[in-house]
């Protein structure tokens, strides 16, 4: 029987451009697990050069490796700094558009929109 030679698969070797980066982050966000997002950011940082990403983010290289490992638990500020260093911006979208009408305008929000504070209507 012939032995099959294998090597560990490294996602960082398959990230070629900004479109790959965006798609990889989108998939991680859809997963919903913060550990997956941290590991994905680590893969992307390794693909772009961890030393340069750490420098651009104002973080230490070793601490960045540790934070963005599959077992890491980076602070949200670290995630934002890394995203900024990578040139990535997060955007918010409504998940279930059927529920987007559930926001009701309250009396306070109507007054705030008119530039008045709640309970201080003119003419009272």
């Amino acid at each position: 029987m012939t032995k099959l030679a294998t090597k560990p698969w490294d996602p960082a070797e398959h990230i070629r451009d900004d479109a790959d980066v965006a798609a990889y982050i989108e998939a991680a966000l859809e997963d919903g697990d913060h550990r997956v997002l941290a590991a994905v950011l680590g893969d992307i940082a390794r693909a772009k050069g961890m030393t340069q990403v750490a420098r651009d983010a104002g973080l230490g290289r070793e601490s960045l490796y540790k934070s963005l490992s599959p077992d890491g638990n980076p602070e949200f500020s670290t995630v934002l700094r890394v995203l900024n260093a990578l040139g990535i911006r997060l955007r918010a979208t409504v998940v279930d558009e059927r529920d987007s009408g559930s926001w009701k305008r309250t009396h306070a929000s109507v007054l705030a929109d008119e530039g008045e504070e709640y309970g201080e209507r003119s003419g009272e």
Side-chain angles (χ1 to χ4, degrees):
M1 181 187 305
T2 308
K3 288 188 177 183
L4 180 63
T6 63
K7 69 175 193 168
W9 185 76
D10 185 0
E13 295 174 5
H14 303 279
I15 299 169
R16 294 181 188 93
D17 55 29
D18 291 340
D20 290 345
V21 169
Y24 198 24
I25 291 174
E26 282 287 327
L29 291 170
E30 286 178 15
D31 182 89
D33 186 337
H34 69 279
R35 293 169 298 199
V36 171
L37 178 60
V40 163
L41 291 176
D43 293 339
I44 295 167
R46 284 187 301 104
K48 289 211 171 196
M50 187 67 79
T51 301
Q52 187 61 48
V53 171
R55 187 178 299 125
D56 292 347
L59 301 165
R61 187 179 60 84
E62 287 300 318
S63 66
L64 192 57
Y65 263 114
K66 202 178 295 185
S67 291
L68 300 182
S69 72
D71 297 326
N73 190 17
E75 292 185 11
F76 190 62
S77 61
T78 299
V79 171
L80 291 177
R81 290 169 78 171
V82 169
L83 288 170
N84 187 50
L86 294 172
I88 301 295
R89 179 182 341 167
L90 295 181
R91 293 189 174 200
T93 59
V94 176
V95 175
D96 187 353
E97 292 185 29
R98 295 172 297 170
D99 195 34
S100 63
S102 66
W103 288 86
K104 305 262 189 279
R105 291 187 55 134
T106 63
H107 181 66
S109 67
V110 171
L111 291 175
D113 287 345
E114 295 172 357
E116 299 179 29
E117 291 191 36
Y118 184 68
E120 296 182 9
R121 286 196 275 169
S122 56
E124 286 187 356

